[in-house]
């Protein structure tokens, strides 16, 4: 009755005017009278709350059903909010926010007010509007009247903090909720959110423990099967494969979808390989055969072969594992989601097991070209790729310049014979590439009709496809283009040398481009027609003599060119040795590299450091060597000699003693007693090895030498400081002093 009165205007007899007025007043959203509250509760619930709730629930279902799972990685316990993933339901969420907002606008005295704000917070969370979601949840916790609603809001607040990577505040909310009497729904959601928090923080043991406590509160179904699968992954990561297998078996009893059951079986086989259960390992061969023969797995064969490769690798059968990985790539077809992870495993085997760094680089490059940037492996792979890029650059420099120097020493007849062999080998490789291209064309033309399926279908491996249909080659091409030319817009004359090319320098130290900027290689090439023997020009390929002459032009015949080649080899040997020692942790390879450097270039400026690194490398392998003694005998005053732990002037002074010694010498310097200060600095420097004052005293020594000795001695002291203290904070100052000293010398000349 009163609802009707509140929404309709009509004339009333005077005798009931007072009654009508009272009824209208009672409809106010601020009234505390039972009739008014009942009306607003009813209207808020069915006209706004239920509609908004159902819309948000439906949006969450769509979000879950349309999710893209990457089974090559650890699955997230809760699906991370993604504004792109919810694009299809964004209008639905916006409408839900409008519906829920009607309650605080029109029904302030309704008991559904807190629930409405919670719905608004949920919708904003799904839309990735995290700041506003956090504010809404905080408001409910502060102003809410129901403890249950406050707890629900705090669980939402905790989730919002996790999505915002604000783990400190998320943990604070978690600690508070842990002490509260939560109902079943809030307890379940709290446990899942807390497990998700610890998973995001990399605390996998805590995450899976909390997840185990949550399972009794969950019903069987696809979502629960997914969580059991994640629990198995977490147990694998913390080194408990037996418990992982239990979780994978539970997946099959939890009403999973097909993908979940398929990967649960694969993961269980992998975990059995870690448990050493020989009986189950023996059964895995039959399981693989069954899975490969199942028609439902036609698009999943690459995953099966990948798992077979993993088991072989764990058993130490590396070559067999590589064979299965190669088969996995051949079976990938158009779906390359598995391919980067297969390349990654192949790269690891060549890197860690075979120490074949050149091949490892090739596979890592291919993996990096397809691996998603948000993958946890991406950053580490990028770092390792940089190491391998340097390795290939150094080895290529050594091999190329060595070959060129060797060829330059031959007489003309022998040289022409050698060049003819090189050209013949190039022709052979070109024919092989042409044959492969023709094979691809033949496969393509054999397809039904004129669709030419061979170019794009899954019958060809990615490496055999035409380049424009090969996603790996395309990604690698983009990377190479960016490295050489930078980020160029699609426009005419994009290679002109007048364009800015700050990002277009292609490996300045590369021996392949003569240390030239990319724009300087061929900024505006002019097509030159080939010259025919008779002097005419035509479109024929260059003659054998012309090709041989092109190779001859690259040879270092002059002494200057040979000196430059040797300098490149010397630098490459030095850097390669350090890369073996530090980046690759292969002292056995570092030793012969450094020894080759010393043999070929006995006057190298890096000799003190090379002596020291040879001493460390032999010490790491438990070998005795003469390099420490040679370092102390030939370069006793260098920091490398002091780092060996034994010099004639070494003492056991502490940092405090080092400070006191430095202070005394500095006071002599301030008192203009330069000769005495220099003598004490020379004596005390060896005893300060490893202290914080060592480089400071070395710099003071340089300054003192500049005051009492010749300019040449001063410049030599500066060179020694820069060489011996490459990580000192005083290095920029030393370089400034060196530059000033060189300028002064140049002016005198």
């Amino acid at each position: 009755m009163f609802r009707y009165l509140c929404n309709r205007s009509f004339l009333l007899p005077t005798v009931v005017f007072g009654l009508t007025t009272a009824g209208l007043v009672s409809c106010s959203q601020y009234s505390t009278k039972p009739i008014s509250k009942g009306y607003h509760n009813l209207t808020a619930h069915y006209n706004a709350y239920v509609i908004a709730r159902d819309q948000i629930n439906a949006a969450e279902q769509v979000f879950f059903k349309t999710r893209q799972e990457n089974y090559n990685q650890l699955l997230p316990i809760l699906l991370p909010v993604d504004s792109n993933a919810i694009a299809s339901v964004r209008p639905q969420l916006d409408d839900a926010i409008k519906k829920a907002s009607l309650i605080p606008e029109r029904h302030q005295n309704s008991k559904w007010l807190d629930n409405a704000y919670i719905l608004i917070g949920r919708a904003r969370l799904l839309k990735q509007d995290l700041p506003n979601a956090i504010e809404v949840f905080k408001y409910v916790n502060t102003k809410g009247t129901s403890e249950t609603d406050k707890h629900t809001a705090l669980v939402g607040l905790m989730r919002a903090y996790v999505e915002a990577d604000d783990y400190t505040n998320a943990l604070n909310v978690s600690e508070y909720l842990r002490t509260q009497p939560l109902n079943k729904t809030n307890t379940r959601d709290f446990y899942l959110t807390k497990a998700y928090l610890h998973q995001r923080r990399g605390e996998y043991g805590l995450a899976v423990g909390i997840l185990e406590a949550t399972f009794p509160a969950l019903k069987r179904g696809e979502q629960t099967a997914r969580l059991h699968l994640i629990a198995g992954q977490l147990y694998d990561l913390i080194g408990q494969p037996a418990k992982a297998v239990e979780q994978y078996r539970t997946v099959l009893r939890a009403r999973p979808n097909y993908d979940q059951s398929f990967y649960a079986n694969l993961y269980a086989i992998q975990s059995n390989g870690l448990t050493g259960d020989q009986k189950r390992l023996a059964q895995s061969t039959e399981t693989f055969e069954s899975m490969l023969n199942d028609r439902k797995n036609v698009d999943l064969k690459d995953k099966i072969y990948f798992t077979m490769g993993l088991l072989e690798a764990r058993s130490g059968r590396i070559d067999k594992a590589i064979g299965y990985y190669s088969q996995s790539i051949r079976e990938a077809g158009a779906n390359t989601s598995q391919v980067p992870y297969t390349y990654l495993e192949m790269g690891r085997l060549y890197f860690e097991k075979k120490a074949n760094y050149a091949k490892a680089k090739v596979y890592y490059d291919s993996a990096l070209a397809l691996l998603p940037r948000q993958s946890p492996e991406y950053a580490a792979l990028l770092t390792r790729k940089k190491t391998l890029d340097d390795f290939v650059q150094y080895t290529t420099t050594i091999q190329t310049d060595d070959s060129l120097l060797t060829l330059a020493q031959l007489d003309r007849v022998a040289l022409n014979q050698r060049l003819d062999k090189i050209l013949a080998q190039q022709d052979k490789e070109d024919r092989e590439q042409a044959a492969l291209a023709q094979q691809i064309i033949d496969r393509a033309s054999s397809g039904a009709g004129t669709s030419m399926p061979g170019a794009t279908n899954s019958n060809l491996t990615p490496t055999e496809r035409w380049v424009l249909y090969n996603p790996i080659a395309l990604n690698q091409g983009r990377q190479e283009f960016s490295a050489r030319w930078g980020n160029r817009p699609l426009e005419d004359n994009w290679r002109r040398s007048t364009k800015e090319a700050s990002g277009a320098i292609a490996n300045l130290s590369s021996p392949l481009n003569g240390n030239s900027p990319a724009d300087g290689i061929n900024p505006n090439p002019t097509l030159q027609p080939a010259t025919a023997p008779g002097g005419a020009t035509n479109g024929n390929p260059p003659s054998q003599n012309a090709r041989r002459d092109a190779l001859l032009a690259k040879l270092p015949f002059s002494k200057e060119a040979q000196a430059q080649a040797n300098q490149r080899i010397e630098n490459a040997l030095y850097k390669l040795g350090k890369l073996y020692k530090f980046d690759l942790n292969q002292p056995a390879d570092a030793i012969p590299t450094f020894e080759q450097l010393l043999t070929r270039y006995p006057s190298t400026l890096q000799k003190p450091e090379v002596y020291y690194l040879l001493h460390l490398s032999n010490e790491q392998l438990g070998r005795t060597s003469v390099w420490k003694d040679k370092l102390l005998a030939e370069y006793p005053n260098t920091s490398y000699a002091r780092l060996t732990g034994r010099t004639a002037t070494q003492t056991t002074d502490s940092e405090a003693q080092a400070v006191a010694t430095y202070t005394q010498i500095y006071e002599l310097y301030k008192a203009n007693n330069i000769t005495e200060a220099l003598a004490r600095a020379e004596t005390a420097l060896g005893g300060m090895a490893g202290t914080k004052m060592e480089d400071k005293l070395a710099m003071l020594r340089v300054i003192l030498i500049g005051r009492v000795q010749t300019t040449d001695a001063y410049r030599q002291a500066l060179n020694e400081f820069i060489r011996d203290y490459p990580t000192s904070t005083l290095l920029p100052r030393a370089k400034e002093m060196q530059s000033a000293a060189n300028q002064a010398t140049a002016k005198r000349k």
Side-chain angles (χ1 to χ4, degrees):
M1 174 182 178
F2 285 107
R3 182 177 180 184
Y4 181 75
L5 291 173
C6 290
N7 289 278
R8 295 289 187 273
S9 297
F10 55 90
L11 296 175
L12 291 175
T14 304
V15 292
V16 296
F17 179 76
L19 179 61
T20 304
T21 303
L24 290 171
V25 172
S26 69
C27 292
S28 170
Q29 63 172 318
Y30 302 105
S31 174
T32 58
K33 294 181 179 180
I35 295 178
S36 177
K37 292 177 66 176
Y39 160 71
H40 285 286
N41 283 338
L42 187 67
T43 306
H45 184 234
Y46 291 106
N47 287 2
Y49 174 78
V50 170
I51 297 174
R53 181 199 62 192
D54 291 347
Q55 285 179 319
I56 294 173
N57 288 342
E60 288 179 336
Q61 286 297 316
V62 170
F63 187 36
F64 181 77
K65 290 295 184 183
T66 59
R67 72 193 186 279
Q68 298 293 323
E69 303 275 34
N70 186 349
Y71 290 97
N72 294 293
Q73 298 179 355
L74 173 64
L75 301 180
I77 292 173
L78 299 178
L79 294 179
V81 295
D82 184 350
S83 57
N84 293 323
I86 57 94
S88 62
V89 295
R90 184 181 295 275
Q92 193 172 332
L93 292 173
D94 290 336
D95 190 56
I97 292 174
K98 290 179 182 178
K99 289 289 191 300
S101 298
L102 292 175
I103 298 176
E105 288 176 6
R106 303 180 184 180
H107 309 289
Q108 281 286 333
N109 59 350
S110 168
K111 68 179 181 180
W112 299 100
L113 184 61
D114 294 344
N115 305 82
Y117 280 121
I118 291 172
L119 289 181
I120 294 171
R122 284 175 58 191
R124 294 198 182 282
L125 180 62
L126 286 173
K127 291 177 62 179
Q128 213 174 9
D129 184 6
L130 300 179
N132 283 322
I134 289 171
E135 288 304 315
V136 170
F137 289 133
K138 283 182 176 180
Y139 179 82
V140 176
N141 180 53
T142 305
K143 302 293 185 179
T145 57
S146 166
E147 288 300 316
T148 298
D149 291 340
K150 286 184 177 183
H151 295 157
T152 304
L154 285 174
V155 173
L157 179 62
M158 181 179 168
R159 171 74 185 278
Y161 279 137
V162 174
E163 296 295 348
D165 296 330
D166 188 352
Y167 301 138
T168 301
N169 277 323
L171 286 170
N172 291 338
V173 176
S174 170
E175 285 302 305
Y176 174 77
L177 284 173
R178 190 171 59 86
T179 63
Q180 299 301 302
L182 307 179
N183 62 20
K184 289 184 178 180
T185 301
N186 283 335
T187 298
R188 178 200 65 197
D189 294 343
F190 168 62
Y191 280 178
L192 289 174
T193 306
K194 185 169 175 59
Y196 179 52
L197 164 63
H198 289 295
Q199 181 191 35
R200 291 272 292 252
R201 285 168 56 87
E203 299 164 347
Y204 299 138
L206 280 173
V208 73
I210 297 170
L211 203 53
E212 285 270 25
T214 315
F215 287 134
L218 302 175
K219 296 179 181 179
R220 289 196 303 170
E222 186 178 334
Q223 295 190 22
T224 303
R226 180 178 180 276
L227 293 175
H228 281 294
L229 190 69
I230 295 169
Q233 290 180 306
L234 291 169
Y235 274 126
D236 270 332
L237 287 171
I238 62 175
Q240 298 188 32
K243 288 187 176 182
V245 172
E246 292 178 11
Q247 291 296 328
Y248 295 140
R249 292 175 185 165
T250 307
V251 172
L252 305 177
R253 301 192 297 269
R255 298 178 182 172
N257 62 27
Y258 184 78
D259 281 351
Q260 289 170 345
S261 61
F262 174 82
Y263 283 101
N265 280 318
L266 280 189
Y267 293 161
I269 293 172
Q270 294 177 25
S271 297
N272 281 325
L274 294 173
T275 61
D277 190 332
Q278 296 302 319
K279 181 179 178 180
R280 294 193 178 278
L281 281 175
Q283 294 172 349
S284 64
T285 303
E286 298 178 5
T287 304
F288 285 136
E289 288 294 330
S290 174
M291 296 174 78
L292 288 170
N293 293 329
D294 191 335
R295 287 183 298 176
K296 295 192 295 294
N297 296 334
V298 170
D299 295 334
L300 298 170
K301 285 186 178 181
D302 57 334
K303 321 287 186 184
I304 300 170
Y305 282 114
F306 175 77
T307 303
M308 296 169 72
L310 277 181
L311 291 183
E312 295 298 334
R314 288 170 181 172
S315 300
R317 296 184 286 270
I318 306 304
D319 291 333
K320 198 168 182 180
I322 291 174
Y324 280 130
Y325 288 147
S326 300
Q327 182 67 25
S328 172
I329 293 170
R330 287 193 290 272
E331 295 288 347
N335 181 11
T336 60
S337 62
Q338 175 63 50
V339 171
Y341 301 95
T342 308
Y343 279 135
L344 181 60
E345 289 301 322
M346 295 178 79
R348 283 175 180 163
L349 291 182
Y350 278 110
F351 185 90
E352 298 172 2
K353 302 298 183 181
K354 288 180 169 287
N356 188 334
Y357 304 120
K359 271 197 172 182
K361 169 186 158 44
V362 173
Y363 287 110
Y364 281 141
D365 285 346
S366 298
L368 204 61
L370 290 177
L371 199 67
R373 287 184 177 272
Q374 64 272 20
S375 300
E377 302 94 341
Y378 190 88
L381 179 57
L382 198 61
T383 300
R384 180 167 284 189
K385 178 188 178 301
K386 173 63 172 62
T387 298
L388 294 178
D389 285 346
D390 291 341
F391 173 84
V392 171
Q393 179 186 332
Y394 302 150
T395 54
T396 301
T397 299
I398 295 167
Q399 294 168 1
T400 302
D401 282 315
D402 257 342
S403 299
L404 295 177
L405 287 169
T406 301
L407 291 173
Q409 303 303 316
L410 298 176
D411 62 73
R412 192 57 184 247
V413 175
L415 178 58
N416 286 337
Q417 292 176 350
R418 181 70 64 86
L419 293 179
D420 287 340
K421 288 183 179 180
I422 294 173
L423 293 174
Q425 180 63 30
Q426 290 179 354
D427 291 339
K428 180 182 177 182
E429 293 174 357
D430 289 343
R431 288 193 298 271
E432 291 174 350
Q433 290 294 324
L436 177 59
Q438 185 61 47
Q439 182 183 4
I440 295 173
I441 294 172
D442 292 341
R443 290 185 188 178
S445 61
S446 65
T450 59
S451 61
M452 296 187 66
T456 58
N457 71 3
S458 61
N459 293 331
L460 298 178
T461 66
T463 55
E464 291 180 324
R465 299 175 197 157
W466 182 44
V467 64
L468 294 183
Y469 290 113
N470 182 350
I472 298 172
L474 281 176
N475 279 281
Q476 289 176 340
R478 291 190 189 100
Q479 288 184 347
E480 291 171 5
F481 182 90
S482 297
R484 180 173 181 179
W485 298 105
N487 187 17
R488 296 296 181 93
L490 185 60
E491 61 184 2
D492 293 338
N493 302 318
W494 58 268
R495 284 195 303 184
R496 286 196 181 276
S497 58
T498 54
K499 290 187 174 290
E500 293 182 3
S502 59
I505 305 302
N507 290 332
L508 289 177
S509 58
S510 171
L512 304 179
N513 62 16
N515 300 337
S516 300
D519 281 342
I521 298 173
N522 195 8
N524 239 342
T526 302
L527 297 178
Q528 298 289 347
T531 303
T537 61
N538 54 38
N540 293 329
S543 65
Q544 183 80 354
N545 288 337
R547 295 171 63 199
R548 189 189 302 122
D549 290 342
L551 292 179
L552 284 171
K554 299 179 180 179
L555 299 184
F557 290 112
S558 68
K559 290 185 177 181
E560 181 182 358
Q562 291 174 4
Q564 291 175 353
N566 276 301
Q567 184 62 55
R568 289 194 294 267
I569 295 173
E570 179 184 342
N571 292 337
L573 284 170
Y574 167 68
K575 293 177 180 178
L576 181 62
K578 293 185 71 173
L579 187 141
Y580 273 131
K581 174 67 179 74
F582 298 110
D583 297 280
L584 300 177
N585 193 27
Q586 296 292 337
D589 292 319
I591 291 172
T593 304
F594 285 134
E595 289 177 343
Q596 183 183 359
L597 171 63
L598 294 174
T599 301
R600 293 188 61 170
Y601 307 102
S603 300
T604 178
L605 296 176
Q606 313 299 337
K607 188 181 287 188
E609 183 182 2
V610 172
Y611 281 177
Y612 178 66
L613 293 176
L614 279 167
H615 161 64
L616 291 183
S617 298
N618 281 280
E619 193 175 58
Q620 185 177 349
L621 295 173
R623 302 175 184 173
T624 57
S625 69
V626 300
W627 300 110
K628 180 178 178 179
D629 293 334
K630 288 176 69 67
L631 175 61
L632 294 173
E634 297 179 27
Y635 303 98
N637 294 323
T638 63
S639 62
Y640 300 109
R642 293 188 288 274
L643 287 173
T644 61
R646 191 188 73 193
T647 65
T649 59
Q650 183 178 8
T651 67
T652 59
D653 287 339
S654 63
E655 289 287 346
Q657 182 61 40
V659 171
T661 302
Y662 176 83
T663 303
Q664 292 172 2
I665 297 172
Y666 186 72
E667 290 298 328
L668 289 172
Y669 165 68
K670 284 173 45 176
N672 206 30
N673 194 347
I674 307 301
T675 304
E676 178 65 18
L678 178 59
R680 290 199 184 187
E682 296 279 10
T683 303
L685 191 57
M688 286 194 177
T691 67
K692 295 179 181 179
M693 302 303 298
E694 180 185 3
D695 61 333
K696 294 180 177 58
L697 183 59
M699 175 56 76
L700 180 58
R701 170 182 171 272
V702 171
I703 296 172
L704 293 169
I705 288 175
R707 293 285 299 275
V708 299
Q709 296 186 14
T710 64
T711 303
D712 289 339
Y714 174 62
R715 293 173 59 210
Q716 178 63 28
L718 281 169
N719 291 337
E720 291 174 355
F721 182 91
I722 293 171
R723 180 195 66 193
D724 296 343
Y725 301 96
T727 60
S728 172
T729 57
L730 300 173
L731 188 63
R733 174 60 179 157
K735 289 184 176 180
E736 289 177 5
M737 295 163 62
Q738 183 187 50
S739 177
N742 290 336
Q743 289 177 3
T745 303
K747 287 180 180 178
R748 285 199 300 271
K749 291 180 179 178

